[in-house]
Amino acid sequence: MSITEVLPAEAGLSVTAVTLTLECIGIAVSPTAETADCPGCGTSSSSVHSRYVRTVADLPWQGRRVVLRLTVRRFRCRNGGCERSIFCERLPRALAPHARTTNRLTAAHRVIGFALGGEAGSRLSTHLAVPTSPDTLLRRVANAPRPSAQTPRVLGVDDFAFRRGESYGTILMDLERRVVVDLLPDRAAGTLATWLNAHPGVEVVSRDRATAYAQAAREAVPNATQVADRFHLLMNLRGAVERSLARQSPAVKAVFEEPDATPTAPTPPETEAQTDSVPPDSTPIPRPATHREQVAAGRRHARQERFDRVRQMHRDGVSQRTIAKTVRLSPLTVQRYVRAEACPVWRSALKGVPAPSPLDPFRENLERKVADGVANAKALFRDLRTLGYPGGYSPVRKAVHRLTQRDRRVGPRGIPHTPVPLPPPRPPVPSARRLSFAVARRGDTRSAEETQFVERLTRAEPGVKDTLALAERFTHLVRAKNEPGLNPWLADATASDLPEFRAFATSLRQDEAAVRAGLTLPWSNGPVEGAVNRLKAIKRSMYGRAGFDLLKARVLQSG
């Protein structure tokens, strides 16, 4: 194979010399055409004025950079009416005017920029022997031609976060071809309506249950069928379940604190010394509260007073906004206090609930060694470090002292003290949010713990049972696409004593046409959610510092 064959045959170039080094290959190239066309008037000329050398980078060879030293000619334009008297010959099949890279290297840089962005792409291009700056890669992406997308017949609409909780955009997807067709800079109804008016032909709009998207579809494409996404219907149901269980927190707490539901703690074997030192009829000595426990008790008392004050003001007819300003609480906290029947108790305030510890995966090993007679905390700490224990010495020392029923911080050094028997720890009560996910999840995909949660809720008071029954019926009809079962469910939810489900049924009736379409048509926002995940990965790879135009270019190119 001739060295000339490494260059595009249609470029009209010939190799005159090759220089090899350990890191670079230099190729001297000259054009072969006898004439050139003037870029101003198009007149062909063969009158050479002068020559100069252009240095252009090309694709690498065997891990070495390739540099073309291109001898380019200047020609005289023989058209007297042309503004140019002298022009440089163009080589459009090889490189663009004033370019420092060949067309094929520019295309390779553009692909790297689309895949990785600026910084990461620049690092990769250096390893591939085509080094360039991050700004050049981003400029290649920004100047790339946009893919032409036809107006979709079935349009999927969803939002995505530029900054969670503050600013959002809208992603539009063709659900038939599974490609992203556009990004919008916000999620306002007017912006989406403008796009729909500019792209006639949309027949189906699959969306979540946001009011803005529904309004835009009604205004711009009134004849299109709106489809409420089934996943978002289940998420709306989960929210209603969470609010209902939070309001009935005393009943939920009671069922999780039943004696038969409380696991019994294993009783450590009594040693002979313990049997002799602790009489059978001895009364446990109450342990005084520590400073931390006293502070926690004071905070619980203050929180209970705020809760009682909020409830009393609400009973007196004061608005929640006024309560929030008077008590100096957030509106969401006031809303939660109004809905709850008892003051919320944070998990950190529950006694007997151990916090997660790096020692947890190694406790079984530690207990086995202590049972074998090894009670030296320092030696056990060194052994655990060899097994990968990442924590410090103090948790190991406390665990060993607990297992050996002694504490060196109390009493004379080395003399065991009489342990104070404590009641078994009370199992933590799962939050309403956690329980709502367990209820909304499909039965065959629940974990063993979630299955136990649902079983315990079935033993609760009638209000919790009604919540569970309505939730299970709705999840079943959504997953089975049982559109005829919607009317009976709406009637039962409206007639129930659960205000959360009455409000949920009212919202479904306001969007009933889209809900029924979601229960009958095959379209959903599943592919759109996947595109949003891909968009998030692209956005985070740019460290959140790139503009909307660059994000849009990369997302549309990725499909």
Side-chain angles (χ1 to χ4, degrees), residues 207-210 227-241 440 471 474-475 477-479 481 486 489-490 501 504 507-509 511-520 523 525:
R207 55 170 177 81
D208 60 15
R209 301 190 59 243
V227 179
D229 181 52
R230 293 182 291 277
F231 170 78
H232 288 89
L233 286 174
L234 294 179
M235 287 298 98
N236 297 148
L237 170 74
R238 189 210 61 78
V241 172
F474 189 80
T475 56
L477 71 88
V478 169
R479 293 190 175 110
K481 296 183 181 179
L486 181 61
W489 188 92
L490 289 175
F501 278 83
F504 180 48
S507 69
L508 293 181
R509 291 187 187 278
D511 199 20
E512 188 170 352
V515 173
R516 293 189 181 278
L519 298 179
T520 54
W523 308 111
N525 268 27

Side-chain angles (χ1 to χ4, degrees), residues 304-314 323 326-327:
Q304 182 66 45
E305 289 184 345
R306 289 194 300 269
F307 175 81
D308 295 339
R309 185 179 179 187
V310 168
R311 297 279 294 182
Q312 183 61 43
M313 295 177 69
H314 179 67
I323 296 175
T326 304
V327 189

Side-chain angles (χ1 to χ4, degrees), residues 137-159:
L137 289 177
L138 296 182
R139 188 169 58 252
R140 301 260 194 260
V141 172
N143 295 335
R146 297 291 185 265
S148 58
Q150 59 185 9
T151 300
R153 187 182 70 88
V154 182
L155 180 67
V157 183
D158 204 351
D159 61 358

Side-chain angles (χ1 to χ4, degrees), residues 438-450:
V439 171
R441 190 165 285 122
R442 193 189 300 269
D444 55 357
T445 61
R446 291 172 183 157
S447 64
E449 185 180 35
E450 292 174 337

Side-chain angles (χ1 to χ4, degrees), residues 30 40-41 81 83 105 110 269 275 304 413 424 457 473 486 511 527:
S30 60
C41 63
E83 297 180 354
L105 179 56
R110 184 179 297 117
T275 305
Q304 182 66 45
R413 184 176 181 84
L457 290 176
R473 284 178 55 192
L486 181 61
D511 199 20

Side-chain angles (χ1 to χ4, degrees), residues 282-548:
S282 61
T283 302
I285 302 174
R287 178 177 61 84
T290 63
H291 175 71
R292 178 177 297 180
E293 291 173 344
Q294 294 176 4
V295 172
R299 290 175 178 172
R300 288 196 299 272
H301 180 70
R303 185 165 60 250
Q304 182 66 45
E305 289 184 345
R306 289 194 300 269
F307 175 81
D308 295 339
R309 185 179 179 187
V310 168
R311 297 279 294 182
Q312 183 61 43
M313 295 177 69
H314 179 67
R315 286 193 293 268
D316 294 341
V318 182
S319 67
Q320 295 186 18
R321 184 183 298 273
T322 304
I323 296 175
K325 292 181 179 179
T326 304
V327 189
R328 302 184 68 180
L329 292 174
S330 71
L332 293 179
T333 303
V334 173
Q335 187 181 51
R336 184 181 181 185
Y337 282 1
V338 168
R339 291 176 175 174
E341 298 180 1
C343 182
V345 179
W346 313 139
R347 181 188 177 96
S348 60
L350 298 176
K351 294 182 178 180
V353 181
S357 169
L359 185 61
D360 292 342
F362 305 90
R363 289 192 184 277
E364 184 178 353
N365 182 280
L366 184 65
E367 293 172 358
R368 185 170 59 253
K369 290 186 177 181
V370 172
D372 293 341
V374 181
N376 189 315
K378 286 188 177 294
L380 292 172
F381 171 68
R382 288 192 292 268
D383 292 343
L384 292 180
R385 293 289 288 184
T386 60
L387 296 177
Y389 167 62
Y393 168 69
S394 180
V396 178
R397 177 183 61 80
K398 293 179 181 178
V400 172
H401 290 171
R402 192 180 304 110
L403 292 172
T404 57
Q405 298 296 322
R406 58 191 174 89
D407 192 342
R408 296 180 185 273
R409 297 172 299 173
V410 179
R413 184 176 181 84
I415 300 177
H417 75 289
T418 302
V420 178
L422 297 175
R426 179 178 297 173
V429 178
S431 65
R433 179 177 178 84
R434 187 177 180 188
L435 291 174
S436 67
F437 276 103
V439 171
R441 190 165 285 122
R442 193 189 300 269
D444 55 357
T445 61
R446 291 172 183 157
S447 64
E449 185 180 35
E450 292 174 337
T451 302
Q452 187 181 24
F453 288 165
V454 176
E455 291 176 353
R456 290 185 180 183
L457 290 176
T458 57
R459 303 197 298 266
E461 295 181 358
V464 177
K465 291 182 179 179
D466 294 342
T467 299
L468 204 64
L470 286 173
E472 290 180 349
R473 284 178 55 192
F474 189 80
T475 56
H476 177 72
L477 71 88
V478 169
R479 293 190 175 110
K481 296 183 181 179
N482 181 18
E483 188 268 339
L486 181 61
N487 280 335
W489 188 92
L490 289 175
D492 293 343
T494 304
S496 69
D497 295 330
L498 304 173
E500 298 81 11
F501 278 83
R502 292 199 300 268
F504 180 48
T506 301
S507 69
L508 293 181
R509 291 187 187 278
Q510 293 172 352
D511 199 20
E512 188 170 352
V515 173
R516 293 189 181 278
L519 298 179
T520 54
L521 298 180
W523 308 111
S524 73
N525 268 27
V528 188
E529 296 292 344
V532 171
N533 285 338
R534 185 165 58 249
L535 181 148
K536 291 178 180 178
I538 294 174
K539 183 187 69 172
R540 288 165 183 165
S541 70
M542 298 189 294
Y543 306 99
R545 294 181 296 180
F548 173 72

